[in-house]
Amino acid sequence: MESKQKLLVIIGPTAVGKTKLSIELAKKYNGEIISGDSMQIYREMDIGTAKIKIEEMEGVPHHLIDIKDPDESFSVAEFQQLVRAKINEIALKGKLPIIVGGTGLYIQSVIYDYHFSEATADDTFRIELEARAKVIGNEALHKELTRLDPVSAAQIHPNNVRRVIRALEIFHCTGKMMSEYQKEQEPDLLYQTALIGLTMEREKLYERINLRVKLMMDEGLLDEVRRLYDRGLRDCQSIQAIGYKEVYEFFEGKVSLEDAVENLKQNSRRYAKRQLTWFRNKMDVQWFDMADVPNLSKKITEISQYVEGKLQVKSNTY
């Protein structure tokens, strides 16, 4: 039997410390990093998505960052295709592919053998739903999904209309909830995967999130969002991202700047909670607590031992 390609995956909630750890492990194992974040694909959206800066990369190649304009859409299926191709490309260079991110569904679609099959597609029905969403609104469409598929509805934000429609489409085509349909597929891991999850005590994580939001404002998040707003970008997938929709509400005069910042902090905390719930329920993760680390090197040693055992790799020997 042909051996599977080795793959390191680092997941965890926003602000937990994935970026710094990923750089250290990439340097240690001669790796290249693939972004597993559904919003860092967008150009001109740097501060609000906490996109890694060039100087922070320390020479480690990064992929799937800045590949779309903010007015373009992006699907899970497209992400799956691009990332699997990138994994092969990196492996052919004799390097270790490392996926880093917090968008659980996207990463899950890559590492497990899920098929976005024709059995769950109905273009006419999907177009009808897209038209209906514009008439009745996102919340009303989400309520329809809650009635038919409460499990999926609980995991999908009402403003993520594409995913709401996708879940309704699967139910329409199969008569099953999206979660049921996925369970029946019993997907296998496509790669020899070391799946690392970073976590920390909730209050500590929330403190870090609040601090990150303050730093984003200091770095010029307001100006970044203003440029998108002034270009007339409104009903785009990208603008539904946390950090953008809250500031948009300020520009539209719906809330004060102070309230917009508080909403951003609150939505980021809620998102982190949803991320942790998703990872724990959907993926077989080896968790590492990042809160009680006096210095990162001790934690890197612990994580490295797990990676080397799981992937049979050695430090800097490729």
Side-chain angles (χ1 to χ4, degrees):
M1 190 176 115
E2 189 180 345
S3 61
K4 293 179 178 179
Q5 166 59 44
K6 292 169 183 175
L7 176 68
L8 173 57
V9 181
I10 304 169
I11 60 172
T14 185
V16 77
K18 297 184 295 293
T19 299
K20 187 162 180 55
L21 176 73
S22 67
I23 294 295
E24 294 303 317
L25 293 180
K27 290 192 295 186
K28 190 165 189 173
Y29 297 112
N30 194 23
E32 294 193 7
I33 292 172
I34 303 168
S35 172
D37 186 289
S38 61
M39 289 298 161
Q40 292 188 358
I41 60 161
Y42 289 112
R43 303 179 190 99
E44 304 169 68
M45 297 176 65
D46 303 333
I47 299 170
T49 63
K51 200 176 287 174
I52 188 169
K53 299 177 178 73
I54 295 292
E55 59 270 21
E56 292 171 336
M57 293 182 184
E58 298 185 35
V60 174
H62 281 64
H63 305 276
L64 263 65
I65 292 175
D66 293 338
I67 62 167
K68 292 274 186 179
D69 288 328
D71 59 351
E72 292 183 276
S73 61
F74 193 59
S75 69
V76 181
E78 187 178 356
F79 179 83
Q80 181 193 70
Q81 185 180 17
L82 287 171
V83 174
R84 287 179 179 174
K86 242 350 140 178
I87 289 170
N88 292 337
E89 180 187 310
I90 292 166
L92 284 171
K93 292 189 278 187
K95 295 194 167 190
L96 178 66
I98 305 172
I99 300 177
V100 182
T103 309
L105 178 72
Y106 279 52
I107 294 170
Q108 186 185 35
S109 77
V110 170
I111 65 176
Y112 293 102
D113 193 14
Y114 281 112
H115 299 285
F116 297 92
S117 71
E118 292 302 315
T120 64
D122 184 333
D123 292 344
T124 304
F125 181 74
R126 187 165 61 248
I127 290 165
E128 285 174 6
L129 285 181
E130 286 166 357
R132 263 210 6 263
K134 288 176 182 173
V135 175
I136 66 174
N138 299 353
E139 291 282 351
L141 196 69
H142 190 265
K143 280 180 183 171
E144 289 187 23
L145 180 61
T146 302
R147 183 172 57 81
L148 295 170
D149 184 353
V151 176
S152 296
Q155 295 166 350
I156 302 172
H157 193 279
N159 285 338
N160 195 342
V161 181
R162 289 174 66 87
R163 281 199 62 214
V164 171
I165 289 174
R166 181 66 182 131
L168 285 167
E169 185 183 10
I170 288 173
F171 189 87
H172 169 75
C173 293
T174 67
K176 296 171 185 168
M177 296 191 294
M178 187 161 67
S179 54
E180 287 180 310
Y181 179 77
Q182 289 178 338
K183 273 180 190 171
E184 286 176 6
Q185 291 188 346
E186 297 181 355
D188 295 321
L189 274 171
L190 284 175
Y191 305 97
Q192 184 182 339
T193 308
L195 184 51
I196 291 169
L198 307 185
T199 186
M200 64 174 56
E201 188 265 327
R202 192 68 54 88
E203 289 307 311
K204 178 72 174 172
L205 180 63
Y206 287 175
E207 282 175 23
R208 288 174 63 111
I209 288 170
N210 290 342
L211 177 60
R212 171 176 280 189
V213 171
K214 182 184 180 304
L215 291 173
M216 284 178 174
M217 294 303 294
D218 292 345
E219 287 178 359
L221 178 62
L222 213 57
D223 292 335
E224 179 173 278
V225 183
R226 168 67 79 180
R227 286 192 290 272
L228 300 171
Y229 184 83
D230 287 349
R231 277 170 48 191
L233 292 172
R234 294 294 183 272
D235 299 321
C236 305
Q237 187 177 342
S238 62
I239 303 305
Q240 302 306 323
I242 295 170
Y244 296 86
K245 60 184 178 182
E246 295 85 1
V247 178
Y248 260 55
E249 288 181 346
F250 164 63
F251 290 144
E252 290 165 352
K254 295 177 180 176
V255 296
S256 67
L257 179 58
E258 186 181 359
D259 284 345
V261 173
E262 281 308 308
N263 290 342
L264 171 48
K265 289 177 180 176
Q266 185 180 64
N267 288 338
S268 297
R269 294 192 298 265
R270 285 174 177 166
Y271 179 56
K273 187 178 177 183
R274 288 200 306 273
Q275 285 175 299
L276 283 166
T277 301
W278 172 276
F279 294 136
R280 288 187 172 127
N281 290 343
K282 301 279 188 180
M283 302 168 90
D284 184 17
V285 181
Q286 181 70 35
W287 291 99
F288 294 90
D289 191 337
M290 303 299 284
D292 57 352
V293 186
N295 57 64
L296 192 60
S297 60
K298 183 181 175 185
K299 188 58 65 173
I300 289 172
T301 300
E302 183 188 342
I303 292 171
S304 296
Q305 287 170 350
Y306 174 75
V307 171
E308 288 167 18
K310 195 79 175 173
L311 298 183
Q312 287 81 54
V313 293
K314 292 183 180 177
S315 175
N316 292 321
T317 55
Y318 263 76

